Amino acid sequence: MLDILDGALTHEPPIWFMRQAGRYLPEYRAVRAKAGGFVELCLNPELAAEVTLQPVRRFGLDAAIIFSDILIVPHALGVKLWFEENEGPRLEPVNDIASFERMQPVLDRKITQPVYDALKIVRDALPANVTLIGFCGAPWTVASYLIAGRGTEDQGPAKALMRGDEKLFASIIDRLADATAHHLIGQIDAGADVVQIFDTWAGSLNEHEFGRWCAAPIARIASAVRAARPQARVILFPKGVKIEWMKRLVSEAEADAISLDPITNRKRAREVFSGICALQGNLSPDVLLDGGDAMDREIDQILEDFRGTRHIFNLGHGILKETPIAHVERMIARVRERA
Ligand code: CP3
C-alpha cells in the first residue's frame, strides 16, 4: 500500500476497508463488552490495539486502521463525550460563545495519549508489510456533531450557526483544524504510516461553503502535518462531493490518495486523478451486505475500471454491522484472485 501511495503501479491492489474493526465481528463485540463502553474502548490502549488487530488477523488485510473515533479530538479539547447505546455519540454542544470559551485551546494529552499508546502496540505487533493508518475527522464533519451535540440527518444546527454567526463558526473550525493537525502528528510519531481525513458530511454543503469550510481547513491540516513530518502520507475521504470539487481539494491539500464514495463515477475519477494521486474504493457497503454473484460482478467491474492505475481496494463507506463475515471473506478472495 505504501508503494502505491508513493507512486508505484502494482497490479494487485492492497485491501483494507473502512470500519474494518467493528460490530460485524463477534471478537469485537466480546472485547467491547469487556471494555464497558465505546469511549472506554477507544481510550484503553491494550483493548483498542486488540480490536485494531482482529480484522487484520482474521482476513490477512494489507492495512490496519487504528481503532478510535473522530470525536476524540473535541473530547481532548475538554468536551464531554459519551455514547447512548443503540443510538450513537453524544457531546456537550458547543454552539455559543460561552460553550466555545469552555473548550480548551489545545489537546489534553491525557485523552490523546492512549490513542498513541495503542498505535505503538499495534505497530510492534504488525508484520512489516502491513500499513498502519491513523485518522481524524475533517473540521466540518466534527463540527457538525460538536455543534448539535449528536449526529443529525441534515447537519441543520451546524449549518444554522455557519450562516447565522460566521465568526463563531470560523473560530470553532480553526480550533478543530489546529488540534486535528497536532493529533495527526501525534499518530504519525506513534507509528502511523499514513493518515486518512474523513469528511463524511462534505456533500451537504454548496460549492462555496465546501471550498471555505471543507477544502481550506483540510489543506491547512495537510500542509501543517507535512511541514512537521515530511514523510507523512495523506488520504482524503470527502463523501458525496462532485469530482471537480474533489480535484480542487486534492490539489490544494496535495493528497496522496482520494477515497471514493460508492456513487462516484470510476471512469471519470480515473480520468481526473490518474497521474495525480492514488484511488481508493469504492465497493458499496450495501453490495457487500447482500453478497452473492452481484457482489462478484461489482468487484470485477471495480478492478477493471481501475486496472493500470494506483488502486487501493476499499469500500465506499464503512462496513454495515449486519454484514456476514462470509461475504467479507468472499470479497477479499475475489479481489486477490481477479487482480
Ligand atoms: O475504520 C475503522 O475501523 C476505524 C475506526 C473508526 C470508527 N469510527 C469506529 C467506530 C473510524 C475511522 C470512525 C470514524 C467516524 N466516527 C466517522 C467518519 C467516518 C464515517 O463512517 O462516516 C464518524 C462520522 C464517526 C462518529 C461516530 N462514531 C458515529 C456517528 C458513530 C455511531 C455509528 C454507529 O454505527 O453506531 C460512532 C461509533 C463507532 N465508531 C463505532 C465504531 C466501530 C460503533 C461503536 C460500537 O457501538 O461498538
Side-chain angles (χ1 to χ4, degrees), residues 43-114:
L43 298 179
N44 180 318
E46 287 76 26
L47 296 183
E50 170 56 23
V51 296
T52 299
L53 291 163
Q54 285 172 345
V56 180
R57 268 191 223 120
R58 186 191 263 272
F59 303 118
L61 297 164
D62 298 301
I65 181 163
I66 191 67
F67 185 83
S68 183
D69 200 80
I70 64 169
L71 301 177
I72 291 298
V73 165
H75 187 40
L77 291 173
V79 177
K80 227 193 270 167
L81 168 69
W82 70 102
F83 269 72
E84 291 293 340
E85 276 320 311
N86 306 317
E87 287 189 37
R90 293 286 188 277
L91 298 145
E92 246 174 328
V94 171
N95 52 14
D96 57 16
I97 308 268
S99 49
F100 177 69
E101 283 175 351
R102 280 197 300 275
M103 269 215 298
Q104 306 298 310
V106 295
L107 292 171
D108 178 353
R109 193 82 189 191
K110 282 200 299 294
I111 306 288
T112 55
Q113 190 62 44

Side-chain angles (χ1 to χ4, degrees), residues 2 64 66 115-124 126 130-134 184-195 229 231 233:
L2 293 184
I66 191 67
V115 180
Y116 310 146
D117 291 343
L119 278 156
K120 289 187 193 119
I121 298 172
V122 173
R123 178 77 280 169
D124 287 344
L126 277 183
V130 177
T131 296
L132 181 53
I133 305 170
L184 293 180
I185 292 165
Q187 293 181 65
I188 291 164
D189 290 346
D193 303 300
V194 35
V195 292
R229 300 296 178 268
Q231 82 279 16
R233 303 164 182 98

Side-chain angles (χ1 to χ4, degrees), residues 16-23 28 32 38 41 65-71 83 85 87-89 135 141 145 198 200-201 237 239 317-318:
W16 72 278
F17 50 98
M18 289 188 253
R19 293 273 178 99
Q20 64 190 23
R23 285 166 296 188
Y28 170 85
R32 166 85 150 76
F38 176 74
L41 176 53
I65 181 163
I66 191 67
F67 185 83
S68 183
D69 200 80
I70 64 169
L71 301 177
F83 269 72
E85 276 320 311
E87 287 189 37
F135 73 89
T141 287
Y145 289 89
F198 288 83
T200 308
W201 300 118
F237 177 54
K239 187 170 181 289
H317 197 195

